[in-house]
């Protein structure tokens, strides 16, 4: 028997083949006449100034940190939600406490201005 | 009538192949490849004609007629579009990180296709009946963030970089409400298997049991697919085309034509499965096959997506992040709490 994850693997391989096929078709069918102007970086016709790969603003980093915290929380919440009906009141109250701690975290981030776009 | 044609076809094919003396494992693999090909064709055809649908709806909302020259009411327009995109030169700008630049459009189509493997198209019509289907789907669809970022970074273009940064910030922020909204449904059904989620909606669709979750899911879904009013990622008047500014020809087609609409299809199919009763027929209209119902509901959701797109103006980036973190995340956490408490009250009453 083919296991679920074997089938998932097949899907991944086929999807890559399909999309790679699409791009390769483009390379095969389309003409390639490269000129010096054509391959310059497109920035509305103005020559690009300075390097692109520079350090970026930190607000993005703060959102990433917050996301990490809440994403891990979600991973814990899913198994709990599946077993919610059979676990009883105790698990529900425990989860409320867990959520409460996270909400305090969100409130703290909010208070410190991490959610403001500066 | 037509209800079982796909299921019967699969059974017939399985019988035919095992009649040739092929071992079970290879039989499974061959059948899976057939299902896989069907799904890829389904996605490719739908995505191309969704471009047409989008243009047509946009046109009617703006009091125009839209494409109408190729075929009846312009129905062959997507064919010409595909041919045109295939024969357009793929420009490789000189400063790009070539490997990542070429890998991004190839990999961007993978998540939606893999996501479709666990979605039930109809009664007993699911490629992989996985017991953690919902979780798998969420995990796979969130992968597309990386591909957008790859494109934005590798292009070595300032517009692309800003677009890529915005993609990551936006998709990461709206991932949370999307996933937390689904939790309410999971709490009621107690399963992550999508077929069982559909079956649990026999009596009442979850759009009525979980209206807040549906709204959160819908708004976050629009943001996850980077569509207006949340299209800061590719805001034409601000950053040209965001991460795919430097792409041309098939590279661009993969991003814009295929990936965007395939992602939208996954989000709307997911919405159908979670909140609109999946392939279940409403009002007892069971003479129409289940897969037709799935298709109709999916297209209804897609239509609303497009309607939203051409009705609302784009919002600002601070409004976007503020709305996600200050409104949707607390609201979805409250929804989980209300659902849990509500279920205990229902049980206490004895429903």
């Amino acid at each position: 028997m083919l296991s679920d994850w074997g089938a998932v693997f097949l899907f991944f391989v086929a999807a890559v083949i399909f999309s790679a096929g699409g791009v390769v078709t483009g390379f095969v069918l389309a003409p390639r006449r490269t000129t010096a102007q054509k391959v310059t970086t497109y920035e509305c016709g103005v020559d690009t100034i300075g390097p692109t790969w520079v350090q970026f603003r930190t607000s993005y980093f703060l959102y990433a940190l917050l996301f990490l915290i809440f994403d891990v929380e979600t991973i814990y919440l899913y198994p709990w939600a599946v077993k919610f009906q059979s676990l009883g009141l105790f698990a529900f109250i425990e989860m409320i406490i867990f959520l409460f701690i996270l909400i305090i975290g969100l409130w703290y981030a909010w208070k410190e201005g991490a959610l403001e776009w500066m | 009538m037509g209800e079982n044609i796909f299921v019967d076809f699969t059974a017939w094919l399985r019988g035919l192949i095992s009649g040739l003396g092929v071992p079970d494992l290879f039989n499974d693999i061959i059948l899976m490849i057939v299902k896989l090909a069907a799904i890829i064709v389904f996605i490719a055809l739908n995505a191309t004609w969704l471009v047409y649908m989008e243009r047509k709806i946009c046109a009617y909302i703006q009091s125009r007629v839209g494409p109408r020259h190729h075929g009846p009411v312009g129905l062959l327009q997507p064919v010409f579009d595909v041919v045109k995109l295939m024969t357009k030169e793929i420009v490789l700008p000189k400063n790009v990180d070539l490997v990542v630049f070429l890998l991004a459009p190839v990999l961007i189509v993978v998540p939606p296709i893999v996501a479709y493997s666990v979605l039930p198209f109809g009664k007993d019509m699911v490629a992989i009946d996985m017991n953690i289907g919902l979780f798998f789907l969420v995990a796979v669809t969130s992968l597309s963030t990386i591909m957008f970022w790859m494109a934005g970074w590798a292009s070595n273009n300032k517009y692309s970089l800003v677009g890529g940064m915005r993609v990551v910030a936006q998709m990461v922020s709206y991932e949370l409400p999307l996933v937390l909204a689904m939790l309410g449904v999971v709490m009621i059904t107690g399963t992550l298997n999508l077929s069982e989620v559909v079956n649990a909606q026999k009596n009442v669709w979850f759009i009525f049991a979980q209206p807040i979750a549906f709204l959160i899911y819908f708004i976050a879904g629009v943001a996850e697919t980077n569509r207006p009013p949340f299209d800061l990622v590719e805001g034409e008047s601000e950053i040209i085309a965001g991460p795919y500014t430097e792409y041309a020809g098939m590279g661009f087609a993969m991003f814009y034509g295929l990936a965007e609409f395939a992602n939208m299809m996954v989000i709307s199919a997911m919405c159908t499965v979670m909140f609109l009763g999946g392939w279940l027929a409403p009002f007892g209209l069971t003479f129409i096959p289940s897969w037709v119902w799935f298709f109709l509901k999916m297209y209804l959701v897609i239509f609303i997506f497009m309607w939203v797109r051409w009705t609302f103006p784009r919002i600002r980036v601070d409004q976007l992040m503020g709305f996600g973190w200050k409104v949707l995340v607390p609201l979805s956490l409250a929804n989980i709490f209300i659902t849990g408490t509500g279920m205990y009250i229902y049980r206490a009453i004895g429903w």
Side-chain angles (χ1 to χ4, degrees):
Chain A
M1 286 296 286
L2 182 66
S3 74
D4 282 357
W5 300 108
V8 168
F9 175 72
L10 274 182
F11 263 86
F12 266 104
V13 172
V16 170
I17 291 171
F18 167 71
S19 46
V23 176
V24 168
T25 321
F27 274 108
V28 172
L29 289 181
R32 279 186 60 69
R33 292 185 209 94
T34 309
T35 61
Q37 269 80 40
K38 208 186 259 180
V39 295
T40 49
T41 304
Y42 175 75
E43 278 172 16
C44 301
V46 183
D47 284 342
T48 176
I49 299 166
T52 307
W53 294 325
V54 292
Q55 289 182 343
F56 228 69
R57 60 189 298 166
T58 49
S59 4
Y60 289 107
F61 176 68
L62 289 175
Y63 282 113
L65 268 184
L66 269 176
F67 168 72
L68 195 66
I69 298 163
F70 275 88
D71 211 34
V72 172
E73 173 212 346
T74 337
I75 293 170
Y76 284 115
L77 276 173
Y78 261 88
W80 166 78
V82 172
K83 283 283 153 212
F84 172 69
Q85 304 199 20
S86 51
L87 281 177
L89 198 59
F90 180 65
F92 182 49
I93 291 166
E94 266 195 335
M95 194 45 84
I96 289 174
I97 295 167
F98 179 58
L99 281 179
F100 186 66
I101 295 167
L102 278 158
I103 288 167
I104 291 174
L106 184 66
W107 169 78
Y108 181 72
W110 196 330
K111 187 188 77 111
E112 291 291 307
L115 302 183
E116 304 299 327
W117 193 264
M118 288 159 293
Chain B
M1 189 185 72
E3 167 66 58
N4 285 324
I5 53 170
F6 292 108
V7 180
D8 287 348
F9 176 75
T10 318
W12 172 79
L13 197 65
R14 181 179 288 276
L16 186 79
I17 296 168
S18 63
L20 298 172
V22 179
D24 260 4
L25 178 66
F26 289 106
N27 198 342
D28 279 354
I29 291 174
I30 292 168
L31 273 177
M32 194 50 75
I33 290 170
V34 171
K35 287 175 188 171
L36 217 162
I39 284 173
I40 287 179
V41 169
F42 175 83
I43 290 177
L45 285 182
N46 270 290
T48 35
W49 261 272
L50 276 174
V51 177
Y52 167 78
M53 183 177 161
E54 172 105 62
R55 289 172 69 179
K56 214 60 179 170
I57 287 174
C58 156
Y60 280 116
I61 286 178
Q62 300 170 343
S63 300
R64 296 185 284 114
V65 233
R68 58 188 274 267
H69 283 296
H70 303 297
V73 292
L75 265 173
L76 290 179
Q77 184 70 38
V79 181
F80 289 86
D81 284 349
V82 169
V83 171
K84 189 200 90 170
L85 281 167
M86 275 183 174
T87 49
K88 281 277 173 185
E89 175 173 354
I90 302 179
V91 180
L92 300 174
K94 63 175 179 232
N95 291 325
V96 296
D97 186 337
L98 203 60
V99 178
V100 184
F101 184 80
L102 285 177
L103 216 53
V106 171
L107 294 182
I108 189 73
V109 192
V110 175
I113 291 177
V114 177
Y116 256 89
S117 63
V118 291
L119 278 168
F121 286 85
K123 204 171 175 4
D124 303 323
M125 277 171 64
V126 51
I128 309 169
D129 201 14
M130 196 186 283
N131 54 359
I132 55 159
L134 208 164
F135 203 70
F136 174 74
L137 200 142
V138 169
V140 166
T141 45
S142 60
L143 280 177
S144 25
T145 317
I146 300 168
M147 279 56 128
F148 280 115
W149 173 238
M150 278 162 74
W153 181 261
S155 291
N156 199 354
N157 178 324
K158 294 188 184 67
Y159 292 112
S160 299
L161 186 71
V162 174
M165 279 287 182
R166 285 183 180 182
V167 166
V168 177
Q170 174 178 333
M171 290 183 84
V172 144
S173 301
Y174 281 81
E175 180 93 24
L176 285 173
L178 189 91
V179 174
L180 290 174
M182 290 180 189
L183 262 176
V185 174
V186 176
M187 280 163 78
I188 295 178
T189 55
T191 175
L192 291 172
N193 186 323
L194 288 170
S195 307
E196 283 170 31
V197 170
V198 172
N199 271 323
Q201 301 179 62
K202 274 221 166 66
N203 297 319
V204 56
W205 291 359
F206 287 144
I207 184 175
F208 302 116
Q210 290 278 325
I212 305 170
F214 174 74
L215 272 181
I216 296 168
Y217 179 89
F218 190 81
I219 295 170
V222 177
E224 275 290 292
T225 45
N226 304 325
R227 291 174 61 78
F230 301 101
D231 71 332
L232 295 127
V233 166
E234 51 202 83
E236 292 87 349
S237 49
E238 299 169 14
I239 46 173
I240 309 171
Y244 16 107
T245 304
E246 293 286 359
Y247 286 90
M250 276 313 269
F252 182 74
M254 284 292 163
F255 270 110
Y256 179 72
L258 213 51
E260 174 171 344
F261 286 98
N263 273 323
M264 195 167 87
M265 279 160 63
V266 171
I267 293 286
S268 15
M270 204 49 201
C271 189
T272 308
V273 169
M274 302 288 294
F275 297 103
L276 298 177
W279 39 261
L280 293 173
F283 313 120
L285 293 171
T286 42
F287 65 90
I288 300 170
S290 56
W291 42 274
V292 174
W293 276 117
F294 176 81
F295 201 71
L296 286 177
K297 287 173 186 173
M298 193 179 95
Y299 262 79
L300 177 72
V301 180
I302 289 178
F303 173 72
I304 300 173
F305 267 116
M306 289 179 175
W307 189 3
V308 166
R309 166 165 190 170
W310 296 107
T311 310
F312 291 108
R314 187 183 303 138
I315 60 175
R316 284 201 318 263
V317 70
D318 59 326
Q319 291 168 335
L320 172 93
M321 303 307 276
F323 184 65
W325 283 101
K326 293 176 187 170
V327 180
L328 288 185
V329 170
L331 200 64
S332 48
L333 288 174
N335 181 56
I336 293 170
F337 179 70
I338 292 165
T339 310
T341 324
M343 282 171 74
Y344 270 99
I345 291 170
Y346 277 155
R347 207 178 291 171
I349 295 169
W351 280 1

